[in-house]
Coordinates of all heavy atoms in Angstrom, one line a residue:
M1 N 17.8 7.1 28.3 CA 16.5 6.6 28.6 C 16.4 5.1 28.5 O 17.1 4.5 27.7 CB 15.4 7.2 27.7 CG 15.1 8.6 28.1 SD 13.3 8.7 27.7 CE 13.2 10.4 27.6
S2 N 15.6 4.5 29.3 CA 15.4 3.1 29.3 C 14.6 2.6 28.1 O 13.7 3.3 27.6 CB 14.7 2.7 30.6 OG 14.3 1.3 30.5
I3 N 15.0 1.5 27.6 CA 14.3 0.9 26.5 C 12.8 0.6 26.8 O 12.0 0.6 26.0 CB 15.0 -0.3 25.9 CG1 14.4 -0.7 24.6 CG2 14.9 -1.5 26.9 CD1 15.3 -1.6 23.7
Y4 N 12.6 0.3 28.1 CA 11.2 0.0 28.5 C 10.3 1.3 28.4 O 9.1 1.2 28.1 CB 11.2 -0.5 29.9 CG 11.9 -1.8 30.1 CD1 13.0 -1.9 30.8 CD2 11.4 -3.0 29.4 CE1 13.7 -3.1 30.9 CE2 12.0 -4.2 29.5 CZ 13.2 -4.2 30.2 OH 13.8 -5.4 30.3
L5 N 10.9 2.4 28.6 CA 10.1 3.7 28.4 C 9.7 3.9 26.9 O 8.6 4.3 26.6 CB 10.9 4.9 28.9 CG 10.2 6.2 28.8 CD1 9.0 6.2 29.7 CD2 11.2 7.3 29.3
Y6 N 10.7 3.5 26.0 CA 10.4 3.6 24.6 C 9.3 2.6 24.2 O 8.4 2.9 23.4 CB 11.6 3.4 23.8 CG 12.7 4.4 23.8 CD1 14.0 4.1 24.1 CD2 12.3 5.8 23.6 CE1 15.0 5.1 24.2 CE2 13.3 6.8 23.7 CZ 14.6 6.4 24.0 OH 15.5 7.4 24.1
I7 N 9.4 1.4 24.7 CA 8.4 0.4 24.4 C 7.0 0.8 24.9 O 6.0 0.7 24.3 CB 8.8 -1.0 25.0 CG1 10.0 -1.5 24.2 CG2 7.7 -2.0 24.9 CD1 10.6 -2.7 24.8
F8 N 7.0 1.4 26.1 CA 5.7 1.9 26.7 C 5.1 3.0 25.9 O 3.9 3.0 25.6 CB 5.9 2.3 28.2 CG 4.7 2.9 28.8 CD1 3.6 2.1 29.1 CD2 4.6 4.3 28.9 CE1 2.5 2.7 29.7 CE2 3.5 4.9 29.5 CZ 2.4 4.1 29.9
A9 N 6.0 3.9 25.5 CA 5.5 5.1 24.6 C 4.9 4.6 23.3 O 3.9 5.0 22.8 CB 6.6 6.1 24.4
M10 N 5.6 3.6 22.7 CA 5.2 3.1 21.4 C 3.8 2.3 21.6 O 2.9 2.4 20.8 CB 6.2 2.1 20.9 CG 5.9 1.6 19.5 SD 7.2 0.6 18.8 CE 7.4 -0.7 20.0
A11 N 3.7 1.5 22.7 CA 2.5 0.8 22.9 C 1.3 1.8 23.2 O 0.2 1.6 22.7 CB 2.7 -0.1 24.1
L12 N 1.6 2.8 24.0 CA 0.5 3.8 24.3 C 0.1 4.5 23.0 O -1.1 4.7 22.8 CB 1.0 4.8 25.3 CG 0.0 5.9 25.7 CD1 -1.1 5.2 26.5 CD2 0.7 6.9 26.6
T13 N 1.0 4.9 22.2 CA 0.7 5.6 20.9 C -0.1 4.6 20.0 O -1.1 5.1 19.4 CB 2.0 6.0 20.2 OG1 2.7 6.8 21.1 CG2 1.6 6.7 18.9
T14 N 0.3 3.4 19.9 CA -0.4 2.5 19.1 C -1.8 2.2 19.6 O -2.8 2.1 18.8 CB 0.4 1.1 19.0 OG1 1.6 1.4 18.5 CG2 -0.3 0.1 18.1
Y15 N -2.0 2.1 20.9 CA -3.3 1.9 21.5 C -4.2 3.1 21.3 O -5.4 2.9 21.0 CB -3.1 1.6 23.0 CG -4.4 1.4 23.7 CD1 -5.2 0.2 23.5 CD2 -4.9 2.4 24.5 CE1 -6.4 0.1 24.1 CE2 -6.2 2.3 25.1 CZ -6.9 1.1 24.9 OH -8.1 1.0 25.6
L16 N -3.7 4.3 21.5 CA -4.5 5.5 21.3 C -5.0 5.6 19.9 O -6.1 6.1 19.7 CB -3.7 6.7 21.8 CG -3.5 6.9 23.3 CD1 -2.7 8.1 23.6 CD2 -4.9 6.9 24.0
I17 N -4.1 5.3 18.9 CA -4.5 5.5 17.5 C -5.7 4.5 17.2 O -6.6 4.9 16.5 CB -3.4 5.2 16.6 CG1 -2.3 6.3 16.7 CG2 -3.8 4.9 15.2 CD1 -1.1 6.0 16.0
R18 N -5.7 3.4 17.9 CA -6.8 2.4 17.6 C -8.0 2.7 18.5 O -9.2 2.4 18.1 CB -6.3 1.0 17.8 CG -5.4 0.6 16.7 CD -4.9 -0.8 16.9 NE -4.2 -1.3 15.7 CZ -2.9 -1.3 15.6 NH1 -2.1 -0.8 16.6 NH2 -2.3 -1.7 14.5
A19 N -7.8 3.1 19.7 CA -8.9 3.2 20.7 C -9.7 4.6 20.6 O -10.9 4.6 20.8 CB -8.4 3.1 22.1
L20 N -9.0 5.6 20.3 CA -9.7 6.9 20.2 C -10.8 7.0 19.2 O -11.9 7.5 19.5 CB -8.7 8.1 20.0 CG -7.9 8.5 21.2 CD1 -6.9 9.6 20.8 CD2 -8.8 9.0 22.3
P21 N -10.6 6.5 18.0 CA -11.8 6.6 17.1 C -13.0 5.8 17.6 O -14.1 6.1 17.3 CB -11.2 6.0 15.8 CG -9.8 6.2 15.9 CD -9.4 6.1 17.3
L22 N -12.7 4.7 18.3 CA -13.9 3.9 18.8 C -14.6 4.6 19.9 O -15.8 4.4 20.0 CB -13.3 2.5 19.3 CG -12.8 1.6 18.3 CD1 -12.2 0.3 18.9 CD2 -13.9 1.2 17.3
T23 N -13.9 5.4 20.7 CA -14.6 6.1 21.8 C -15.2 7.4 21.3 O -16.2 7.9 21.9 CB -13.6 6.3 22.9 OG1 -12.5 7.1 22.4 CG2 -13.1 5.0 23.5
I24 N -14.5 8.1 20.4 CA -15.0 9.4 20.0 C -16.2 9.3 19.0 O -17.2 10.0 19.1 CB -13.9 10.2 19.3 CG1 -12.8 10.5 20.4 CG2 -14.4 11.5 18.7 CD1 -11.6 11.2 19.8
F25 N -16.1 8.4 18.0 CA -17.1 8.3 17.0 C -18.0 7.1 17.3 O -17.9 6.0 16.7 CB -16.5 8.1 15.6 CG -15.6 9.2 15.3 CD1 -14.2 9.0 15.2 CD2 -16.1 10.5 15.0 CE1 -13.3 10.0 14.8 CE2 -15.2 11.5 14.7 CZ -13.8 11.3 14.6
R26 N -19.0 7.3 18.2 CA -19.9 6.2 18.5 C -21.1 6.1 17.5 O -21.7 5.1 17.3 CB -20.4 6.4 19.9 CG -19.4 6.2 20.9 CD -19.9 6.1 22.3 NE -18.9 5.9 23.3 CZ -18.6 4.8 23.8 NH1 -19.2 3.7 23.4 NH2 -17.6 4.7 24.7
K27 N -21.5 7.2 17.0 CA -22.6 7.3 16.0 C -22.1 6.9 14.6 O -21.0 7.1 14.3 CB -23.3 8.7 16.0 CG -23.9 9.1 17.3 CD -24.4 10.5 17.2 CE -24.9 11.0 18.5 NZ -25.4 12.4 18.4
P28 N -23.0 6.4 13.8 CA -22.6 6.1 12.4 C -22.3 7.4 11.7 O -22.9 8.5 11.9 CB -23.9 5.5 11.8 CG -24.7 5.0 12.9 CD -24.4 5.9 14.1
I29 N -21.3 7.4 10.8 CA -20.9 8.5 10.1 C -21.8 8.7 8.9 O -22.0 7.9 8.1 CB -19.4 8.4 9.6 CG1 -18.5 8.2 10.8 CG2 -19.0 9.5 8.7 CD1 -17.1 7.8 10.4
K30 N -22.5 9.9 8.9 CA -23.5 10.2 7.9 C -23.0 11.0 6.7 O -23.7 11.1 5.7 CB -24.7 10.8 8.5 CG -25.4 9.9 9.5 CD -26.6 10.5 10.1 CE -27.2 9.4 11.0 NZ -28.3 10.0 11.8
S31 N -21.9 11.7 6.9 CA -21.3 12.5 5.9 C -20.8 11.7 4.7 O -20.0 10.8 4.9 CB -20.2 13.3 6.4 OG -19.5 14.0 5.4
R32 N -21.4 11.9 3.5 CA -21.0 11.1 2.3 C -19.5 11.4 2.0 O -18.8 10.5 1.6 CB -21.8 11.5 1.1 CG -23.2 11.0 1.2 CD -24.0 11.3 0.0 NE -23.5 10.6 -1.1 CZ -23.8 10.8 -2.4 NH1 -24.8 11.7 -2.7 NH2 -23.2 10.1 -3.4
F33 N -19.0 12.6 2.2 CA -17.7 13.0 1.9 C -16.7 12.2 2.8 O -15.7 11.6 2.4 CB -17.4 14.5 2.0 CG -16.0 14.8 1.9 CD1 -15.4 14.8 0.6 CD2 -15.2 15.2 3.0 CE1 -14.0 15.2 0.5 CE2 -13.9 15.5 2.9 CZ -13.3 15.5 1.6
L34 N -17.0 12.2 4.1 CA -16.1 11.6 5.1 C -16.2 10.1 4.9 O -15.1 9.4 5.0 CB -16.6 12.0 6.5 CG -15.6 11.5 7.6 CD1 -14.2 12.0 7.4 CD2 -16.2 12.0 9.0
R35 N -17.3 9.5 4.6 CA -17.4 8.1 4.4 C -16.6 7.6 3.1 O -15.9 6.6 3.1 CB -18.9 7.6 4.3 CG -19.6 7.6 5.6 CD -21.0 7.3 5.6 NE -21.2 6.0 4.8 CZ -22.4 5.7 4.4 NH1 -23.5 6.4 4.6 NH2 -22.6 4.6 3.7
S36 N -16.7 8.4 2.1 CA -16.0 8.1 0.9 C -14.5 8.3 1.1 O -13.7 7.5 0.6 CB -16.4 8.9 -0.3 OG -16.1 10.3 -0.1
F37 N -14.1 9.3 1.9 CA -12.7 9.5 2.2 C -12.2 8.3 3.0 O -11.1 7.8 2.7 CB -12.5 10.8 3.0 CG -11.1 11.0 3.5 CD1 -10.1 11.4 2.7 CD2 -10.8 10.8 4.9 CE1 -8.9 11.6 3.1 CE2 -9.6 10.9 5.3 CZ -8.6 11.4 4.5
L38 N -12.9 7.9 4.0 CA -12.4 6.7 4.8 C -12.5 5.4 4.0 O -11.7 4.5 4.3 CB -13.3 6.6 6.1 CG -13.1 7.8 7.1 CD1 -14.2 7.6 8.2 CD2 -11.7 7.8 7.6
Y39 N -13.3 5.3 3.0 CA -13.3 4.1 2.2 C -12.1 4.0 1.4 O -11.6 2.8 1.3 CB -14.5 4.2 1.3 CG -14.6 3.0 0.3 CD1 -15.2 1.8 0.7 CD2 -14.2 3.2 -1.0 CE1 -15.2 0.8 -0.2 CE2 -14.3 2.1 -1.9 CZ -14.8 0.9 -1.5 OH -14.9 -0.1 -2.3
Y40 N -11.5 5.1 0.9 CA -10.3 5.0 0.1 C -9.0 5.1 0.8 O -7.9 4.9 0.2 CB -10.3 6.1 -1.0 CG -11.4 5.9 -2.0 CD1 -12.5 6.6 -2.1 CD2 -11.2 4.8 -2.9 CE1 -13.5 6.4 -3.1 CE2 -12.2 4.6 -3.9 CZ -13.3 5.4 -4.0 OH -14.2 5.1 -4.9
V41 N -9.0 5.3 2.1 CA -7.7 5.4 2.9 C -6.9 4.1 2.8 O -5.7 4.2 2.6 CB -8.0 5.8 4.3 CG1 -6.8 5.6 5.2 CG2 -8.4 7.3 4.4
P42 N -7.5 2.9 3.0 CA -6.6 1.7 2.9 C -6.0 1.6 1.5 O -4.8 1.2 1.4 CB -7.6 0.6 3.2 CG -8.7 1.2 3.9 CD -8.8 2.6 3.4
Y43 N -6.7 1.9 0.5 CA -6.1 1.8 -0.9 C -5.0 2.7 -1.1 O -3.9 2.4 -1.7 CB -7.2 2.0 -1.9 CG -8.3 1.0 -1.9 CD1 -9.6 1.4 -1.5 CD2 -8.1 -0.3 -2.2 CE1 -10.6 0.5 -1.4 CE2 -9.1 -1.3 -2.1 CZ -10.4 -0.8 -1.7 OH -11.4 -1.7 -1.6
C44 N -5.1 4.0 -0.6 CA -4.1 5.0 -0.7 C -2.8 4.6 0.1 O -1.7 4.7 -0.4 CB -4.6 6.3 -0.2 SG -5.9 7.0 -1.3
C45 N -3.0 4.1 1.3 CA -1.9 3.7 2.1 C -1.2 2.5 1.5 O 0.1 2.5 1.5 CB -2.4 3.3 3.5 SG -2.9 4.7 4.5
L46 N -1.9 1.5 1.0 CA -1.3 0.4 0.3 C -0.5 0.8 -0.9 O 0.6 0.4 -1.1 CB -2.3 -0.6 -0.1 CG -1.8 -1.9 -0.7 CD1 -0.9 -2.7 0.3 CD2 -3.0 -2.8 -1.1
T47 N -1.0 1.7 -1.7 CA -0.3 2.3 -2.9 C 0.9 3.0 -2.5 O 2.0 2.8 -3.1 CB -1.3 3.2 -3.7 OG1 -2.5 2.4 -4.0 CG2 -0.6 3.7 -4.9
A48 N 0.8 3.8 -1.4 CA 2.0 4.6 -1.0 C 3.1 3.7 -0.5 O 4.3 4.0 -0.6 CB 1.6 5.6 0.1
M49 N 2.8 2.6 0.1 CA 3.8 1.6 0.6 C 4.3 0.8 -0.6 O 5.5 0.4 -0.5 CB 3.2 0.8 1.7 CG 2.9 1.5 2.9 SD 2.4 0.4 4.3 CE 1.0 -0.4 3.6
T50 N 3.5 0.4 -1.5 CA 3.9 -0.5 -2.5 C 4.6 0.1 -3.7 O 5.6 -0.5 -4.3 CB 2.6 -1.3 -3.1 OG1 1.9 -1.8 -2.0 CG2 3.0 -2.4 -4.0
F51 N 4.2 1.3 -4.2 CA 4.7 1.9 -5.4 C 6.2 2.1 -5.3 O 6.9 1.7 -6.3 CB 4.0 3.2 -5.7 CG 4.4 3.8 -6.9 CD1 4.0 3.3 -8.2 CD2 5.2 5.0 -6.9 CE1 4.4 3.9 -9.3 CE2 5.6 5.6 -8.1 CZ 5.2 5.0 -9.3
P52 N 6.8 2.7 -4.3 CA 8.3 2.8 -4.3 C 9.0 1.5 -4.2 O 10.1 1.3 -4.8 CB 8.5 3.6 -3.0 CG 7.3 4.2 -2.6 CD 6.2 3.3 -3.1
A53 N 8.4 0.5 -3.6 CA 9.0 -0.9 -3.6 C 9.1 -1.5 -4.9 O 10.0 -2.2 -5.2 CB 8.3 -1.7 -2.5
I54 N 8.0 -1.3 -5.7 CA 8.0 -1.9 -7.1 C 9.2 -1.3 -7.9 O 9.8 -2.1 -8.6 CB 6.7 -1.6 -7.7 CG1 5.5 -2.4 -7.1 CG2 6.7 -1.9 -9.2 CD1 4.2 -2.0 -7.5
L55 N 9.4 0.0 -7.8 CA 10.4 0.6 -8.7 C 11.8 0.3 -8.2 O 12.7 0.3 -9.0 CB 10.2 2.1 -8.8 CG 8.9 2.5 -9.5 CD1 8.7 4.0 -9.5 CD2 8.8 2.0 -10.9
S56 N 12.0 0.1 -6.9 CA 13.3 -0.1 -6.4 C 13.7 -1.5 -6.1 O 14.8 -1.7 -5.6 CB 13.5 0.8 -5.1 OG 12.6 0.3 -4.1
S57 N 12.8 -2.4 -6.3 CA 13.2 -3.8 -5.9 C 13.9 -4.6 -7.0 O 14.4 -5.7 -6.8 CB 11.9 -4.6 -5.6 OG 11.1 -4.7 -6.7
T58 N 14.0 -4.0 -8.2 CA 14.7 -4.7 -9.3 C 16.1 -4.0 -9.5 O 16.4 -3.0 -8.8 CB 13.9 -4.6 -10.6 OG1 13.7 -3.2 -10.9 CG2 12.6 -5.3 -10.4
A59 N 16.9 -4.5 -10.4 CA 18.2 -4.0 -10.7 C 18.2 -2.6 -11.2 O 19.1 -1.8 -11.0 CB 19.0 -5.0 -11.6
S60 N 17.1 -2.3 -12.0 CA 17.0 -0.9 -12.5 C 15.6 -0.5 -12.5 O 14.6 -1.3 -12.4 CB 17.5 -0.9 -14.0 OG 16.5 -1.7 -14.8
I61 N 15.4 0.8 -12.5 CA 14.1 1.4 -12.4 C 13.3 1.1 -13.7 O 12.1 0.9 -13.6 CB 14.2 2.9 -12.2 CG1 14.7 3.2 -10.8 CG2 12.8 3.6 -12.3 CD1 14.9 4.7 -10.5
V62 N 14.0 0.9 -14.8 CA 13.3 0.6 -16.0 C 12.5 -0.7 -16.0 O 11.4 -0.8 -16.4 CB 14.3 0.6 -17.2 CG1 13.7 0.2 -18.5 CG2 15.0 2.0 -17.3
S63 N 13.2 -1.7 -15.4 CA 12.5 -3.0 -15.3 C 11.4 -3.0 -14.3 O 10.3 -3.6 -14.5 CB 13.5 -4.1 -15.0 OG 14.1 -3.9 -13.7
G64 N 11.5 -2.2 -13.2 CA 10.4 -2.1 -12.3 C 9.3 -1.3 -12.9 O 8.1 -1.7 -12.7
A65 N 9.5 -0.3 -13.7 CA 8.5 0.4 -14.4 C 7.8 -0.5 -15.4 O 6.5 -0.4 -15.6 CB 9.0 1.6 -15.1
A66 N 8.5 -1.3 -16.1 CA 7.9 -2.3 -17.1 C 7.0 -3.3 -16.4 O 5.9 -3.5 -16.8 CB 9.0 -3.0 -17.8
A67 N 7.4 -3.8 -15.2 CA 6.6 -4.7 -14.4 C 5.3 -3.9 -13.9 O 4.2 -4.5 -14.0 CB 7.3 -5.2 -13.2
L68 N 5.5 -2.7 -13.5 CA 4.3 -1.9 -13.1 C 3.3 -1.7 -14.2 O 2.1 -1.9 -14.0 CB 4.8 -0.6 -12.5 CG 3.7 0.4 -12.0 CD1 3.0 -0.2 -10.8 CD2 4.3 1.7 -11.7
I69 N 3.8 -1.4 -15.4 CA 2.9 -1.1 -16.5 C 2.2 -2.4 -16.9 O 0.9 -2.4 -17.1 CB 3.7 -0.6 -17.7 CG1 4.2 0.9 -17.4 CG2 2.9 -0.6 -19.0 CD1 5.2 1.4 -18.3
V70 N 2.9 -3.5 -16.9 CA 2.3 -4.8 -17.3 C 1.2 -5.2 -16.2 O 0.1 -5.6 -16.5 CB 3.3 -5.9 -17.4 CG1 2.7 -7.3 -17.4 CG2 4.2 -5.7 -18.6
A71 N 1.6 -5.0 -14.9 CA 0.6 -5.4 -13.9 C -0.6 -4.5 -13.9 O -1.7 -5.0 -13.7 CB 1.3 -5.2 -12.5
V72 N -0.5 -3.2 -14.1 CA -1.6 -2.3 -14.2 C -2.5 -2.7 -15.3 O -3.8 -2.7 -15.2 CB -1.2 -0.8 -14.2 CG1 -2.3 0.1 -14.6 CG2 -0.6 -0.4 -12.9
I73 N -2.0 -2.9 -16.5 CA -2.8 -3.3 -17.7 C -3.5 -4.6 -17.4 O -4.8 -4.7 -17.7 CB -1.9 -3.4 -18.9 CG1 -1.4 -2.0 -19.3 CG2 -2.7 -4.0 -20.1 CD1 -0.4 -1.9 -20.4
L74 N -2.9 -5.6 -17.0 CA -3.5 -6.9 -16.7 C -4.6 -6.8 -15.6 O -5.6 -7.4 -15.7 CB -2.5 -8.0 -16.5 CG -1.6 -8.3 -17.6 CD1 -0.5 -9.4 -17.2 CD2 -2.4 -8.9 -18.8
A75 N -4.2 -6.1 -14.6 CA -5.2 -5.9 -13.5 C -6.4 -5.2 -13.9 O -7.6 -5.5 -13.6 CB -4.6 -5.3 -12.3
Y76 N -6.2 -4.2 -14.8 CA -7.3 -3.4 -15.3 C -8.3 -4.2 -16.2 O -9.5 -4.1 -16.2 CB -6.8 -2.2 -16.1 CG -7.9 -1.3 -16.6 CD1 -8.6 -0.4 -15.7 CD2 -8.3 -1.3 -17.9 CE1 -9.6 0.4 -16.1 CE2 -9.3 -0.4 -18.4 CZ -10.0 0.4 -17.5 OH -11.0 1.2 -17.9
R77 N -7.6 -5.2 -16.9 CA -8.4 -6.1 -17.7 C -9.1 -7.2 -16.9 O -9.8 -8.1 -17.5 CB -7.6 -6.7 -18.8 CG -7.1 -5.6 -19.8 CD -6.4 -6.2 -20.9 NE -6.1 -5.2 -21.9 CZ -6.0 -5.5 -23.2 NH1 -6.0 -6.8 -23.6 NH2 -5.7 -4.6 -24.1
G78 N -8.9 -7.3 -15.6 CA -9.6 -8.2 -14.8 C -8.9 -9.6 -14.7 O -9.6 -10.6 -14.3
K79 N -7.6 -9.7 -15.0 CA -6.9 -10.9 -14.9 C -6.7 -11.3 -13.4 O -6.7 -10.5 -12.5 CB -5.6 -10.9 -15.6 CG -5.7 -10.5 -17.1 CD -6.5 -11.6 -17.8 CE -6.5 -11.2 -19.3 NZ -7.4 -12.0 -20.0
S80 N -6.5 -12.6 -13.2 CA -6.3 -13.1 -11.8 C -4.9 -12.6 -11.3 O -4.0 -12.2 -12.0 CB -6.4 -14.6 -11.8 OG -5.3 -15.2 -12.4
L81 N -4.8 -12.7 -10.0 CA -3.6 -12.3 -9.3 C -2.4 -13.1 -9.7 O -1.3 -12.5 -9.9 CB -3.8 -12.4 -7.8 CG -2.6 -11.9 -6.9 CD1 -2.3 -10.5 -7.2 CD2 -2.9 -12.2 -5.4
I82 N -2.5 -14.4 -9.9 CA -1.4 -15.2 -10.3 C -0.9 -14.8 -11.7 O 0.3 -14.8 -12.0 CB -1.7 -16.7 -10.2 CG1 -0.5 -17.5 -10.3 CG2 -2.8 -17.1 -11.2 CD1 0.5 -17.5 -9.2
V83 N -1.9 -14.5 -12.6 CA -1.5 -14.1 -14.0 C -0.8 -12.8 -13.9 O 0.2 -12.6 -14.6 CB -2.8 -14.0 -14.9 CG1 -2.5 -13.4 -16.2 CG2 -3.4 -15.4 -15.1
V84 N -1.3 -11.8 -13.1 CA -0.6 -10.5 -13.0 C 0.8 -10.7 -12.4 O 1.7 -10.1 -12.9 CB -1.5 -9.6 -12.2 CG1 -0.8 -8.3 -11.9 CG2 -2.8 -9.3 -12.8
A85 N 0.9 -11.5 -11.4 CA 2.2 -11.6 -10.7 C 3.2 -12.3 -11.7 O 4.4 -11.9 -11.8 CB 2.1 -12.4 -9.5
I86 N 2.8 -13.4 -12.3 CA 3.8 -14.1 -13.2 C 4.1 -13.2 -14.4 O 5.3 -13.2 -14.8 CB 3.2 -15.4 -13.7 CG1 3.1 -16.4 -12.5 CG2 3.9 -16.0 -14.8 CD1 2.4 -17.7 -12.7
S87 N 3.1 -12.5 -15.0 CA 3.4 -11.7 -16.1 C 4.3 -10.5 -15.8 O 5.2 -10.2 -16.6 CB 2.1 -11.1 -16.7 OG 1.3 -12.2 -17.1
S88 N 4.1 -9.9 -14.6 CA 5.0 -8.8 -14.3 C 6.4 -9.3 -13.9 O 7.4 -8.6 -14.2 CB 4.4 -8.0 -13.1 OG 4.2 -8.8 -12.0
S89 N 6.5 -10.5 -13.4 CA 7.8 -11.0 -13.1 C 8.5 -11.4 -14.5 O 9.7 -11.1 -14.6 CB 7.7 -12.3 -12.3 OG 7.2 -12.0 -11.0
A90 N 7.8 -11.9 -15.4 CA 8.3 -12.1 -16.7 C 8.8 -10.8 -17.4 O 9.8 -10.8 -18.1 CB 7.3 -12.9 -17.6
A91 N 8.0 -9.8 -17.2 CA 8.4 -8.5 -17.8 C 9.7 -8.0 -17.2 O 10.6 -7.4 -17.9 CB 7.3 -7.4 -17.5
V92 N 9.9 -8.2 -15.9 CA 11.2 -7.8 -15.3 C 12.3 -8.6 -15.9 O 13.4 -8.1 -16.2 CB 11.2 -8.0 -13.7 CG1 12.5 -7.9 -13.1 CG2 10.2 -7.0 -13.1
L93 N 12.1 -9.9 -16.0 CA 13.1 -10.8 -16.6 C 13.5 -10.4 -18.0 O 14.7 -10.3 -18.3 CB 12.6 -12.3 -16.5 CG 13.6 -13.3 -17.0 CD1 14.8 -13.4 -16.0 CD2 12.9 -14.7 -17.1
V94 N 12.5 -10.2 -18.8 CA 12.8 -9.8 -20.2 C 13.5 -8.5 -20.3 O 14.4 -8.3 -21.0 CB 11.5 -9.9 -21.0 CG1 11.7 -9.3 -22.4 CG2 11.0 -11.3 -21.2
T95 N 13.0 -7.5 -19.5 CA 13.6 -6.2 -19.5 C 15.1 -6.2 -19.0 O 15.9 -5.6 -19.6 CB 12.8 -5.2 -18.6 OG1 11.4 -5.3 -19.0 CG2 13.3 -3.8 -18.7
E96 N 15.3 -7.0 -18.0 CA 16.7 -7.1 -17.5 C 17.6 -7.8 -18.6 O 18.8 -7.4 -18.7 CB 16.8 -7.9 -16.2 CG 16.2 -7.2 -15.0 CD 17.0 -6.0 -14.6 OE1 18.2 -6.0 -14.8 OE2 16.3 -5.0 -14.1
W97 N 17.1 -8.8 -19.3 CA 17.9 -9.4 -20.4 C 18.2 -8.4 -21.5 O 19.3 -8.4 -22.0 CB 17.1 -10.6 -20.9 CG 17.2 -11.9 -20.1 CD1 18.1 -12.1 -19.1 CD2 16.4 -13.0 -20.3 NE1 17.8 -13.3 -18.6 CE2 16.8 -14.0 -19.3 CE3 15.4 -13.4 -21.1 CZ2 16.3 -15.2 -19.2 CZ3 14.8 -14.6 -21.0 CH2 15.3 -15.6 -20.0
V98 N 17.2 -7.7 -21.9 CA 17.4 -6.7 -22.9 C 18.4 -5.6 -22.5 O 19.3 -5.2 -23.3 CB 16.0 -6.0 -23.3 CG1 16.2 -4.8 -24.2 CG2 15.1 -7.1 -24.0
L99 N 18.3 -5.1 -21.2 CA 19.2 -4.1 -20.7 C 20.6 -4.7 -20.7 O 21.6 -4.0 -20.9 CB 18.8 -3.6 -19.4 CG 17.5 -2.8 -19.4 CD1 17.1 -2.4 -17.9 CD2 17.7 -1.5 -20.2
A100 N 20.7 -6.0 -20.3 CA 22.1 -6.6 -20.3 C 22.7 -6.7 -21.7 O 23.9 -6.6 -21.9 CB 22.0 -8.0 -19.6
L101 N 21.8 -7.0 -22.7 CA 22.3 -7.1 -24.1 C 22.7 -5.7 -24.6 O 23.7 -5.6 -25.4 CB 21.2 -7.7 -25.0 CG 21.0 -9.2 -24.8 CD1 19.8 -9.6 -25.7 CD2 22.2 -10.0 -25.2
L102 N 22.0 -4.7 -24.2 CA 22.3 -3.3 -24.7 C 23.6 -2.7 -24.0 O 24.2 -1.8 -24.5 CB 21.2 -2.4 -24.5 CG 19.9 -2.7 -25.3 CD1 18.8 -1.8 -24.9 CD2 20.2 -2.7 -26.8
A103 N 23.9 -3.2 -22.8 CA 25.0 -2.7 -22.1 C 26.4 -3.2 -22.5 O 26.6 -4.0 -23.3 CB 24.9 -3.0 -20.6

């Protein structure tokens, strides 16, 4: 098959995913369940994409888990993004040093 056919199919699929909801759902959504479900969809998608990357982006899963735990605790306490990022990076660094000393 031609690569142009693949590009056309991908463009059509992408367009339909974005255009169909706009044409089908013209009235405001009044269902509380559906509105709350749609409210949380971006957070769930972001979590599903980010969580595996956090654990597999370091040399070991242990250091990724340590960074995740530090980031969750600091974010829950309302710390800024820069504090969370630097602290979780420091957690990876310290964990990797400890694992290197133990090996």
Side-chain angles (χ1 to χ4, degrees):
M1 280 215 201
S2 171
I3 191 158
Y4 297 112
L5 184 60
Y6 290 130
I7 292 172
F8 174 75
M10 186 175 59
L12 182 67
T13 303
T14 303
Y15 177 75
L16 286 176
I17 288 171
R18 290 182 170 96
L20 279 179
L22 292 175
T23 57
I24 293 174
F25 304 111
R26 292 189 181 263
K27 297 178 184 176
I29 299 172
K30 294 181 180 171
S31 169
R32 288 183 65 190
F33 173 75
L34 188 57
R35 284 177 52 195
S36 67
F37 174 77
L38 291 174
Y39 177 79
Y40 288 110
V41 166
Y43 300 111
C44 294
C45 291
L46 183 63
T47 303
M49 291 185 301
T50 307
F51 184 74
I54 291 172
L55 295 178
S56 65
S57 65
T58 60
S60 68
I61 292 179
V62 175
S63 60
L68 178 66
I69 291 168
V70 167
V72 167
I73 290 170
L74 291 176
Y76 184 75
R77 291 184 174 209
K79 301 298 180 188
S80 68
L81 180 61
I82 191 73
V83 171
V84 172
I86 290 173
S87 300
S88 59
S89 297
V92 168
L93 183 66
V94 170
T95 306
E96 290 294 329
W97 281 347
V98 170
L99 289 175
L101 289 175
L102 295 176

